[in-house]
């Protein structure tokens, strides 16, 4: 990760002043506030870019833009749809927050999520378990499988210094093909003309939160995971080790932190979350495995984690933003002449902006530059008054 | 099974497909080799290929000339590489993330453009695009077995071989190759020696863009005769893995990409014997990872042996 030149800064622990103190700190700490503002601007910019693109290609731009921006709120079921769409984004976003705290680049959570769904399908179709226990068992099994898969790029990196992004992308292809092989050869419903697994057992379903909607208890599970991951990262020794290792692996090693095992358990936890996400999606939303292709929520997770600035607390917010964009784009593309895929384009743009340290830290850099100029002026003035004092001042500065 | 594989290996048809599958990987692997040499990772070649493949189809359909399509495809591909350079080098962005972002933009953007032009999200068959010509080599085509493998291939296959020679010369004989090596190994030292590291990196990026442009255009105007969504199928990523297998040399790139080409072509044949296609499609990626691990293992062992030797010689001197 040669390109990471930004100085690592992390909070060593929550402030003891309580929530009010935290908020006060948040708004006075310009180093934290400014990147947050830039992140917000990037989000706004992406929406504007989307509107621009619509005007470029649509024959009825006004209507398409209205559908895109307001569509998510125009129908009640769209709001529920948004809440359902948030669930997988939260899981992959959380998983990637952990990876990014570690300053790793692995995208293996795509496989964890997909295989999690496949494992859940197998359990949903074949296992005979009581109501309530059935989905829980599936989530646990999917989590364990997802976690084990998550370990692979980390092992390759530690043992053979394989670039984890490249190896995880290769593995994603392998697991995608392997997963669809399992569905096709062992779980397929041969009575269906389209590719689908056998139907899930009755017991394999999460309760609905609202009658007559698709909104399922997975929404609650996702919220619980947000809290758990926040606690893990900022309130436990494990999370502290992950953040220290990410900030400076050499320092972590000198401080006696077993860096290799930190990397491994962080990847396992990340994969576990991805696997659970896959299972929740299956048991909450579907009655059989019907994905014709990989939904690739990990790529959405990248942007969720980046918008949240690697902080699990903000994952729900950025997941909602992304879900809003997606539901809007979906609503628009069904009623107009703009392809849904333009959302991927916007996502890429957001990542481009947020990945650029010089853009994100623009205000900070300007402040530092101004301060440096001021300091120089001061030292020049000192030099004019007494050369000897200036030389000691400069020596002190150096 | 063994008989079947032996039969496949002796068929000229198999080797014909091997060359076709290898060429695009070879081109992008060379691109990865040259950028890594200059100390920058071009993860956006996947996106470069996608845009090149689409642009080639659109421009060739609009102008009726495959050559103009190729030229435009390469230009767009270079543009993507330059964008990676601007964000990574000028705006201090994490180069890997920029690559990921540019690939996302390409994945969504190509479908977006295709849909806006044709009303179809999957395939460009409604555009009357042209394909790049195949080349029949006189005399060679009459050699019994070899002729059927080597002759009659698409032009890009020969260009990919030519590219190996050119990249080899750039890396090892040209002054810019030395500058690249210096930049890749130690930016500060290179700067002290009067080299402008960013210029060198941009140069490498442009070369990789050209190579990815050829590869992308080949996919939609030779390998197949349409643009389909996601046509690059991870070849740009494979190149980044193959680059390690290649050991950072142009000649090594041939072997690294052949690993992929051999299994990819074998997959086409194995499908005919009734093996599950899903598992076979995974094979090239599995083999790439394995090749990657084996090469690192060998290199580590060599390094260890070298250090032992060095240690033994210095220990002998001091004793």
């Amino acid at each position: 990760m040669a390109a990471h030149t930004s100085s690592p800064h992390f909070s060593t622990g929550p402030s003891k002043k309580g929530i009010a103190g935290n908020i006060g700190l948040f708004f006075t700490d310009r180093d934290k506030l400014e990147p947050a503002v830039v992140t917000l601007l990037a989000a706004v910019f992406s929406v504007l870019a989307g509107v621009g693109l619509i005007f470029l290609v649509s024959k009825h731009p006004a209507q398409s833009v209205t559908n895109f921006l307001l569509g998510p709120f125009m129908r009640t079921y769209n709001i529920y749809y948004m809440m359902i769409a948030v669930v997988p984004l939260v899981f992959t976003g959380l998983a990637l927050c952990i990876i990014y705290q570690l300053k790793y680049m692995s995208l293996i959570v795509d496989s964890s999520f997909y295989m999690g769904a496949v494992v859940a399908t197998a359990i949903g179709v074949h296992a005979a378990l009581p109501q309530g226990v059935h989905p829980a068992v599936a989530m646990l099994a999917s989590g364990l499988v997802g976690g084990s898969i998550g370990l692979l790029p980390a092992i390759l990196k530690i043992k053979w210094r394989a670039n984890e992004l490249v190896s995880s992308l290769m593995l994603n292809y392998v697991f995608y093909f392997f997963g669809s092989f399992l569905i096709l050869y062992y779980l397929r419903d041969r009575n269906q003309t389209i590719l689908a697994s056998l139907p899930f057992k009755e017991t394999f379903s999460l309760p609905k939160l609202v009658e007559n909607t698709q909104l399922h208890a997975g929404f609650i599970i996702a919220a619980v995971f947000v809290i758990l991951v926040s606690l893990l990262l900022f309130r436990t020794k494990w999370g502290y080790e992950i953040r220290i290792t990410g900030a400076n692996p050499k320092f972590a090693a000198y401080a006696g932190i077993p860096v290799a095992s930190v990397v491994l358990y962080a990847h396992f936890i990340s994969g576990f979350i991805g696997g659970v996400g896959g299972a929740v999606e299956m048991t909450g939303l579907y009655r059989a495995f019907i994905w014709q292709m990989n939904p690739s929520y990990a790529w959405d997770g990248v942007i969720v984690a980046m918008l949240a600035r690697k902080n699990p607390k903000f994952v729900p917010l950025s997941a909602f933003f992304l879900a809003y964009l997606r539901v809007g784009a979906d609503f628009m593309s069904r009623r107009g002449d703009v392809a849904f895929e333009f959302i991927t384009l916007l996502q890429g743009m957001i990542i481009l902006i947020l990945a650029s340290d010089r853009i994100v830290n623009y205000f900070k850099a300007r402040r530092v530059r101004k301060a440096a100029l001021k300091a120089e002026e001061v030292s020049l003035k000192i030099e004019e008054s007494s050369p000897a004092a200036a030389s000691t001042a400069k020596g002190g500065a150096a | 099974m063994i008989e079947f594989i032996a039969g496949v290996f002796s068929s000229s048809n198999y080797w014909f497909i091997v060359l076709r599958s290898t060429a695009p990987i070879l081109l992008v692997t060379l691109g990865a080799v040259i950028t890594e040499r200059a100390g920058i990772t071009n993860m956006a070649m996947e996106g470069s290929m996608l845009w090149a493949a689409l642009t080639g189809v659109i421009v060739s359909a609009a102008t009726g000339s495959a050559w103009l399509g190729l030229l435009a495809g390469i230009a767009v591909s270079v543009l993507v590489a330059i964008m990676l350079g601007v964000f990574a080098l000028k705006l201090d962005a994490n180069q890997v993330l920029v690559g990921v972002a540019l690939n996302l933009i390409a994945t969504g953007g190509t479908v977006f453009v295709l849909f806006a032009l044709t009303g179809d999200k999957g395939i460009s068959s409604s555009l009357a695009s042209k394909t790049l010509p195949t080349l029949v080599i006189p005399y060679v085509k009459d050699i019994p077995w070899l002729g059927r493998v080597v002759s009659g291939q698409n032009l890009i296959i020969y260009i990919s071989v030519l590219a190996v020679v050119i990249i080899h010369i750039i890396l090892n004989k040209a002054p810019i190759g030395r500058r690249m090596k210096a930049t890749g190994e130690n930016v500060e030292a290179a700067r002290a020696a009067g080299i402008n590291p960013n210029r060198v990196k941009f140069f490498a990026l442009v070369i990789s863009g050209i190579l990815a442009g050829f590869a992308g255009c080949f996919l939609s105007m030779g390998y197949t005769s349409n643009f389909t969504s996601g046509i690059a199928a991870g070849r740009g990523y494979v190149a980044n893995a193959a680059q390690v297998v290649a050991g950072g040399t142009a000649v090594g790139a041939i072997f690294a990409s052949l690993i992929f080409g051999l299994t990819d072509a074998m997959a086409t044949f194995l499908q005919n014997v009734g093996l599950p296609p899903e598992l076979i499609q995974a094979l090239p990626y599995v083999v790439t990872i394995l090749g990657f691990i084996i090469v690192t293992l060998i290199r580590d062992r060599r390094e260890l042996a070298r250090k032992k030797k060095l240690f033994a010689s210095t220990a002998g001197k001091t004793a």
Side-chain angles (χ1 to χ4, degrees):
Chain A
M1 227 131 311
H4 254 287
T5 48
S6 67
S7 65
H9 47 75
F10 48 88
S11 60
T12 44
S15 137
K16 295 228 167 70
K17 281 179 251 165
I19 290 172
N22 265 336
I23 290 174
L25 193 75
F26 188 80
F27 281 110
T28 49
D29 189 352
R30 299 181 74 170
D31 279 358
K32 271 189 186 157
L33 180 65
E34 285 162 359
V37 169
V38 175
T39 307
L40 213 62
L41 288 178
V44 172
F45 169 79
S46 72
V47 173
L48 292 180
V51 170
L53 276 174
I54 293 170
F55 269 95
L56 215 62
V57 299
S58 178
K59 288 198 183 75
H60 320 284
Q63 191 199 345
S64 289
V65 168
T66 319
N67 283 340
F68 173 49
L69 294 181
L70 302 177
F73 305 110
M74 284 197 311
R75 303 253 196 299
T76 329
Y77 70 75
N78 272 355
I79 295 174
Y80 287 121
Y81 181 21
M82 216 157 55
M83 291 171 83
I84 298 162
V86 158
V87 175
L89 301 180
V90 165
F91 280 105
T92 51
L94 288 175
L96 280 159
C97 275
I98 296 175
I99 301 285
Y100 288 163
Q101 285 284 357
L102 208 57
K103 295 243 171 79
Y104 267 55
M105 283 287 150
S106 163
L107 263 174
I108 194 71
V109 68
D110 201 37
S111 295
S112 298
F113 193 93
Y114 188 77
M115 289 306 288
V118 172
V119 169
T121 302
I123 292 173
V125 168
H126 287 307
L129 291 161
Q131 185 92 36
V133 179
H134 200 166
V137 168
M139 280 175 217
L140 189 66
S142 297
L144 291 176
V145 169
S148 316
I149 291 171
L151 281 176
L152 294 175
I155 293 172
L156 288 173
K157 168 96 171 192
I158 291 170
K159 278 206 88 138
W160 296 297
R161 299 188 312 279
N163 179 308
E164 72 278 11
L165 180 63
V166 172
S167 65
S168 65
L169 289 169
M170 297 287 105
L171 286 167
N172 282 347
Y173 281 102
V174 175
F175 279 111
Y176 167 64
F177 288 124
F178 181 60
S180 39
F181 161 76
L182 290 180
I183 296 286
L184 256 172
Y185 283 79
Y186 296 103
L187 299 161
R188 179 166 190 189
D189 185 351
R190 296 190 191 278
N191 297 325
Q192 299 271 5
T193 45
I194 57 156
L195 172 62
S197 77
L198 293 161
F200 298 148
K201 295 247 167 71
E202 280 299 312
T203 48
F204 187 73
S205 69
L206 291 175
K208 297 275 179 279
L209 292 183
V210 181
E211 274 314 304
N212 298 326
T213 68
Q214 292 270 43
L215 185 61
H216 53 87
F219 190 77
I220 309 276
I221 299 173
V224 170
F225 266 86
V226 170
I227 297 168
L228 286 179
V229 175
S230 304
L231 291 178
L232 169 83
L233 275 179
F234 293 102
R235 299 284 168 117
T236 65
K237 174 173 156 275
W238 287 15
Y240 184 66
E241 286 180 344
I242 291 174
R243 285 182 295 128
I244 293 276
T245 305
N248 190 340
K250 274 191 186 148
F251 172 78
Y254 283 128
I257 292 173
V259 170
S261 55
V262 171
V263 170
L264 288 179
Y265 72 62
H267 276 81
F268 182 83
I269 295 169
S270 162
F272 186 91
I273 296 167
V276 172
V280 165
E281 195 71 355
M282 277 299 125
T283 165
L285 206 53
Y286 297 98
R287 299 309 312 141
F289 185 100
I290 51 165
W291 287 344
Q292 306 299 314
M293 53 196 280
N294 188 353
S296 289
Y297 287 119
W299 294 90
D300 302 326
V302 172
I303 185 163
V304 169
M306 285 185 80
L307 279 172
R309 303 192 57 73
K310 303 187 279 190
N311 189 336
K313 267 181 281 186
F314 298 123
V315 161
L317 199 66
S318 56
F320 256 108
F321 172 68
L322 196 60
Y324 161 74
L325 287 185
R326 300 196 73 121
V327 171
D330 189 40
F331 191 74
M332 172 192 68
S333 67
R334 281 170 202 279
R335 281 166 182 71
D337 49 0
V338 185
F340 173 75
E341 278 73 9
F342 97 120
I343 212 73
T344 322
L345 222 164
L346 299 192
Q347 292 183 17
M349 279 187 214
I350 299 179
I351 298 180
L352 263 190
I353 298 171
L354 293 183
S356 305
D357 281 349
R358 184 143 318 163
I359 299 178
V360 173
N361 295 324
Y362 172 75
F363 295 107
K364 188 183 170 189
R366 204 173 62 170
R367 212 146 32 79
V368 170
R369 209 164 45 232
K370 270 187 185 163
L373 278 175
K374 219 175 193 177
E376 198 148 308
E377 267 172 31
V378 171
S379 77
L380 275 176
K381 269 182 195 158
I382 295 172
E383 210 166 332
E384 275 167 18
S385 54
S386 88
S391 71
T392 52
K394 268 191 183 165
Chain B
M1 188 70 200
I2 291 170
E3 265 173 50
F4 171 77
I5 291 180
V8 168
F9 272 117
S10 60
S11 102
S12 61
N13 197 10
Y14 170 70
W15 289 98
F16 186 84
I17 298 177
V18 166
L19 289 192
R20 272 164 62 87
S21 318
T22 306
I25 294 286
L26 176 56
L27 285 165
V28 274
T29 304
L30 288 171
V33 164
I34 198 165
T35 46
E36 285 293 336
R37 181 72 69 97
I40 183 163
T41 305
N42 186 356
M43 202 60 99
M45 281 192 295
E46 180 84 3
S48 275
M49 287 169 90
L50 282 171
W51 281 119
L54 179 65
T55 313
V57 162
I58 292 172
V59 173
S60 76
T63 61
S65 155
W67 300 110
L68 284 177
L70 179 65
L71 208 65
I74 291 171
V76 173
S77 168
V78 169
L79 203 69
V80 174
I82 289 178
M83 267 182 75
L84 182 119
V86 168
F87 275 92
L89 301 174
K90 300 280 179 196
L91 295 168
D92 290 346
N94 180 323
Q95 36 188 284
V96 173
L97 274 179
V98 174
V100 166
L102 288 173
N103 291 340
L104 267 182
I105 292 178
T107 320
T110 47
V111 175
F112 178 73
V113 172
L114 184 67
F115 182 76
L117 285 180
T118 67
D120 193 309
K121 282 184 186 179
I123 189 161
S124 70
S125 47
S126 62
L127 295 172
S129 59
K130 300 278 180 275
T131 51
L132 293 159
T134 51
L135 226 64
V136 176
I137 314 172
Y139 306 115
V140 174
K141 76 174 195 317
D142 300 325
I143 305 172
W145 185 83
L146 197 68
R148 270 181 290 150
V149 175
V150 178
S151 177
Q153 292 275 16
N154 192 286
L155 177 79
I156 303 283
I157 275 99
Y158 306 109
I159 289 182
S160 71
V161 178
L162 191 66
V164 175
V165 179
I166 294 173
I167 300 296
H168 182 80
I169 291 172
I170 291 180
L171 288 180
N172 300 302
K173 306 276 187 248
I176 183 81
R178 275 195 297 280
R179 266 180 258 156
M180 267 181 208
K181 201 171 175 202
T183 312
E185 279 175 7
N186 190 334
V187 175
E188 291 309 316
R191 197 174 282 140
I195 296 170
N196 180 345
N198 277 3
R199 193 179 294 172
V200 171
K201 286 179 180 179
F202 267 111
F203 176 80
L205 281 173
V206 168
I207 301 278
S208 76
I210 294 172
L211 292 165
F214 274 116
C217 287
F218 172 62
L219 290 180
S220 64
M221 298 161 66
Y223 194 76
T224 64
S225 50
N226 285 305
F227 174 86
T228 43
S229 62
I231 196 171
R235 288 183 177 84
Y237 301 127
V238 169
N240 285 297
Q243 175 270 131
V244 180
V245 181
T249 65
V251 181
I254 300 178
F255 295 103
S257 48
L258 259 179
I259 296 179
F260 189 90
L262 285 169
T263 36
D264 196 28
M266 184 53 91
T268 330
F269 276 81
L270 285 176
Q271 239 148 1
N272 300 333
V273 256
L275 281 171
E278 286 73 25
L279 291 188
I280 293 164
Q281 280 173 302
L283 201 62
Y285 303 99
V286 175
V287 172
T288 307
I289 299 173
L290 288 181
F292 187 77
I293 293 172
I294 291 167
V295 166
T296 336
L297 271 182
I298 294 172
R299 197 182 302 152
D300 279 2
R301 191 155 296 170
R302 264 198 216 145
E303 184 73 2
L304 199 71
R306 196 182 63 85
K307 274 186 185 156
K308 263 190 190 154
K309 217 168 147 189
L310 202 72
F311 181 73
S313 66
T314 49
K317 268 179 209 160
T318 47

